[in-house]
Amino acid sequence: LALVISDVVSSGGANAAVEVEEIAGETVKYATNRGAYVLNHLGSLQSSKFIRGDNDKGTGDQSFKVNVPVTVVVAMDGRGDHAARAPEGFAATGESIGFDHGSGGTGRYFLMPLYAKDFDAGLVKFQFRGGVNAGIFVMKRTLVLSDVVSSGGANAAVEVEEIAGETVKYATNRGAYV
């Protein structure tokens, strides 16, 4: 099931237009109300959706609806106390991305530490705890299974498979059952 984001609200100082873009490269335009500002070195955020809006995020609601469980990652301006302004319940990941004002010069490039929080399908809503430059990324939550046990009469091998189509093999100890 593909991630679908709808009803996006992103509060900010200028009430700038909001757009959603899938990350498919190493850079993305940062804000709808700024020119050449870009976020870069987006490796771990590939295939996520980026919510582009106001350059300066406010303390009002950041909200949207999703059709699947998601992890929301916020990239916080690293030039100040980003931990104090990160949304409540978001945890530092230890990773950072870059922010480039696009005009060159000293002080025009800085790192943005990443913070993440998981949300169920439905309405996602949070607030920054202070006005801040921040990026918002949304990705399908990754399900990790370990130590899977399944009992049966034949004690057949257990396999875990990602569902990518319309059918799946029914059992490890049977032929073409789907």
Side-chain angles (χ1 to χ4, degrees):
L1 201 55
L3 168 62
V4 176
I5 300 175
S6 62
D7 301 330
V8 180
V9 173
S10 182
S11 73
N15 291 319
V18 177
E19 303 168 348
V20 177
E21 177 181 345
E22 183 164 343
I23 300 299
E26 282 299 312
T27 65
V28 66
K29 184 178 187 299
Y30 172 66
T32 56
N33 62 333
R34 291 293 188 269
Y37 295 10
V38 295
L39 302 177
N40 53 34
H41 304 293
L42 306 176
S44 67
L45 300 169
Q46 292 301 308
S47 300
S48 68
K49 308 267 185 172
F50 177 65
I51 298 176
R52 179 184 304 111
D54 207 309
N55 177 67
D56 300 309
K57 305 296 186 287
T59 57
D61 286 345
Q62 309 293 326
S63 68
F64 47 90
K65 291 180 183 173
V66 292
N67 63 325
V68 295
V70 296
T71 299
V72 176
V73 178
V74 295
M76 302 293 295
D77 187 334
R79 296 173 295 179
D81 187 355
H82 46 85
R85 292 185 174 159
E88 188 72 36
F90 280 67
T93 68
E95 296 179 88
S96 295
I97 62 172
F99 182 102
D100 187 347
H101 281 91
S103 58
T106 304
R108 306 310 288 170
Y109 181 88
F110 58 89
L111 292 178
M112 298 184 82
L114 303 181
Y115 290 76
K117 183 176 179 181
D118 290 338
F119 292 89
D120 292 329
L123 179 65
V124 172
K125 188 168 156 179
F126 59 91
Q127 298 82 28
F128 291 99
R129 294 183 287 173
V132 67
N133 289 10
I136 302 169
F137 298 85
V138 183
M139 60 185 69
K140 278 179 73 171
R141 190 173 328 146
T142 302
L143 175 64
V144 178
L145 298 176
S146 63
D147 302 323
V148 177
V149 175
S150 179
S151 63
N155 289 325
V158 176
E159 297 175 355
V160 177
E161 177 180 349
E162 184 171 341
I163 307 300
E166 294 295 317
T167 62
V168 64
K169 186 174 179 197
Y170 172 73
T172 58
N173 64 335
R174 293 288 186 260
Y177 294 178
V178 292

